[in-house]
Amino acid sequence: MTMQIGIVGKPNVGKSTFFNAATNANAEIANYPFTTIDANHGVMYVRRPCPCRDFNVTCTPHNSRCINGIRYVPIDAIDVAGLVPDAFKGRGLGNKFLDDLRQADALIHIVDASGGTDAEGNPCGIGNYDPTNDVVFLEKEITYWMKGIIKKSWESIARKCELEGKNIEKLLAEKLTGLGIKEEHIHNAIREIGLSIDHPSKWSDEELFNLSDIIRKISKPMLIAYNKCDIAPDEMMAKMDDIKNMGYRVIPTSAEAELALVHAAEKGLIKYTPGEKDFTILKESELTEKQLKALDYIKTHVLDKYGSTGIQRCIEEAVSMLDLIVVYPVEDENHLTDKQGRVLPDAYLMPRGSTARDLAYKVHTDLGEHFIRAIDARTHRVIGADHELKDGDVISIIADV
């Protein structure tokens, strides 16, 4: 199953701009609520040192990119409709928003750091709205949504547990499996709250809400992209500390700046690599005065001040929250090639703790089902099906196919 990161937030905070900058897609961008109605799907890239450096070879990537020895590994992204208060009741595009988030493994919540959009996503003037409200409200919406799904069949679930001896964690996992929620998530949530698994019918409505809230935190980890940081007043930027105290990683971002740099680089006007702290102007004579001023603004108000536009850092942090590693499967461990002769062609994101057999299944079902052994290309040692992979491993899989 492919990992997916959801780009979420209320309307008009720069979600689609962030999505376009992160994926180089072309989602519609406009300054009014509900521009995004249908979810946009794209691919973002997380950076890792490419093994081509270690092996002193020139790689020919297939499912990823290599720029100056840095591998950009793909991960799916989804940009969903803007969320407004009481979305869990179906208000706005709430039902669609929440349904689109079902399979997201982690969330990047885009928040307007400038305080210039109200709770509904309408412009209200910079500094007139507290961005911390958005964090609280999104938490509540997703938690109430999860609780509503549980409540629909709660009496039946509790009865099966108490009268038929069914496992409450297993029953809840079956009910929530469509949300990407696992039995271990529910087990950990129940244990954290200290609920009695023998008498779930006695759980109060508040306890069900708290259970849903913990399940949300465990199953949908979220970081905050504090967007429009270049126009945010100091008092709004200071609220980053309040959000950090709520337990979140907060990253100052400027999606507009990143998108401008990416487009300028595509046209060959500047040299810029996503995530870098600077750029180089290549064709100054082809830039207008307005464009030069814009680039100077980005350098002084974003890159020099915050070290980057923050977009790539958000992607890296999201992958870090999911505790993923990157593994490189090859067919020939000596030449590091696949059947087509491509060198270090593919890079896969895998959950930490994945085994050699897990990688085989990731490459192709037949490889997993007919797995014989694998070879670590770095050590040339034979490894078994249950061998736990490490970040950066280059692995050749041998199967009876």
Side-chain angles (χ1 to χ4, degrees):
M1 182 175 163
T2 304
M3 289 284 179
Q4 186 181 84
I5 295 176
I7 312 299
V8 302
K10 70 185 181 186
N12 203 22
V13 294
K15 281 194 306 89
S16 294
T17 306
F18 183 102
F19 177 82
N20 283 342
T23 65
N24 202 12
N26 290 294
E28 185 180 356
I29 300 170
N31 190 34
Y32 55 88
F34 301 124
T35 302
T36 302
I37 295 175
D38 294 318
N40 297 302
H41 292 266
V43 177
M44 304 188 297
Y45 293 87
V46 60
R47 297 174 301 181
R48 288 291 187 274
C50 182
C52 67
R53 286 180 168 179
D54 298 335
F55 289 94
N56 195 26
V57 296
T58 300
C59 60
T60 46
H62 174 57
N63 79 335
S64 48
R65 295 181 291 172
C66 182
I67 302 175
N68 298 324
I70 300 298
R71 186 65 72 105
Y72 285 74
V73 186
I75 186 166
D76 284 355
I78 179 172
D79 166 37
V80 301
L83 192 65
V84 296
D86 292 335
F88 72 94
K89 297 178 182 178
R91 187 166 176 268
L93 297 171
N95 290 334
K96 181 167 181 53
F97 167 94
L98 294 165
D99 195 56
D100 285 336
L101 276 191
R102 283 179 176 269
Q103 291 303 320
D105 298 282
L107 306 176
I108 298 177
H109 182 187
I110 315 300
V111 171
D112 181 358
S114 75
T117 44
D118 65 18
E120 305 284 337
N122 298 303
C124 63
I126 289 176
N128 289 321
Y129 182 81
D130 186 346
T132 60
N133 292 337
D134 289 343
V135 180
V136 174
F137 117 80
L138 186 66
E139 289 180 340
K140 186 186 78 168
E141 294 297 333
I142 298 176
T143 297
Y144 270 121
W145 171 55
M146 288 185 174
K147 181 193 169 199
I149 293 172
I150 293 173
K151 284 282 283 185
K152 280 181 183 177
S153 53
W154 179 243
E155 289 184 9
S156 172
I157 290 173
R159 185 169 58 251
K160 285 181 179 179
C161 175
E162 295 178 357
L163 299 181
E164 300 176 24
K166 302 281 187 178
N167 183 292
I168 186 67
E169 296 169 1
K170 188 175 182 63
L171 291 174
L172 283 174
E174 290 172 355
K175 184 68 178 174
L176 299 172
T177 186
L179 278 65
I181 294 171
K182 303 173 184 176
E183 192 173 334
E184 65 188 78
H185 295 149
I186 295 166
H187 171 79
N188 292 336
I190 289 175
R191 188 171 60 178
E192 183 169 335
I193 299 174
L195 294 172
S196 169
I197 60 173
D198 297 322
H199 302 286
S201 63
K202 294 182 180 179
W203 295 359
S204 68
D205 204 56
E206 182 181 358
E207 287 173 326
L208 276 179
F209 178 86
N210 291 337
L211 176 66
S212 303
D213 198 46
I214 299 298
I215 292 173
R216 171 190 62 77
K217 291 177 182 177
I218 296 173
S219 66
K220 308 283 184 190
M222 182 164 63
L223 67 83
I224 308 301
Y226 212 50
N227 198 33
K228 306 182 185 180
C229 62
D230 54 308
I231 62 171
D234 290 342
E235 60 269 23
M236 293 292 107
M237 292 305 295
K239 291 184 179 292
M240 282 180 58
D241 290 334
D242 296 332
I243 300 174
K244 288 177 182 176
N245 289 336
M246 296 166 64
Y248 289 103
R249 306 182 192 191
V250 188
I251 299 172
T253 62
S254 175
E256 282 196 0
E258 178 71 12
L259 196 58
L261 292 174
V262 168
H263 285 169
E266 281 181 342
K267 294 175 182 177
L269 300 172
I270 66 171
K271 181 182 179 182
Y272 173 70
T273 303
E276 293 300 309
K277 62 182 180 181
D278 205 353
F279 59 86
T280 303
I281 294 177
L282 299 176
K283 299 179 181 179
E284 186 169 350
S285 61
E286 295 183 21
L287 290 165
T288 65
E289 185 177 345
K290 184 178 179 181
Q291 288 173 322
L292 286 169
K293 283 185 177 180
L295 288 172
D296 183 64
Y297 175 88
I298 291 171
K299 178 170 174 53
T300 57
H301 290 78
V302 180
L303 300 180
D304 289 348
K305 194 170 184 179
Y306 298 107
S308 75
T309 66
I311 307 303
Q312 188 64 39
R313 187 179 162 202
C314 284
I315 300 170
E316 312 287 345
E317 290 283 346
V319 170
S320 174
M321 287 194 308
L322 291 171
D323 199 17
L324 303 178
I325 63 173
V326 179
V327 185
Y328 302 81
V330 296
E331 181 162 340
D332 183 335
E333 72 276 9
N334 294 310
H335 297 95
L336 310 178
T337 55
D338 62 4
K339 284 182 179 178
Q340 285 73 42
R342 295 175 296 205
V343 179
L344 295 168
D346 296 325
Y348 289 126
L349 285 165
M350 307 279 293
R352 190 176 301 279
S354 294
T355 64
R357 190 190 295 276
D358 293 331
L359 176 62
Y361 271 108
K362 180 84 171 178
V363 175
H364 198 284
T365 303
D366 286 346
L367 287 180
E369 291 179 350
H370 299 92
F371 181 96
I372 297 175
R373 63 184 179 275
I375 299 173
D376 184 329
R378 292 184 184 275
T379 64
H380 295 284
R381 291 178 180 172
V382 174
I383 55 178
D386 296 330
H387 176 84
E388 186 173 316
L389 302 173
K390 303 184 300 298
D391 192 34
D393 271 354
V394 180
I395 303 294
S396 174
I397 298 162
I398 300 170
D400 185 20
V401 292

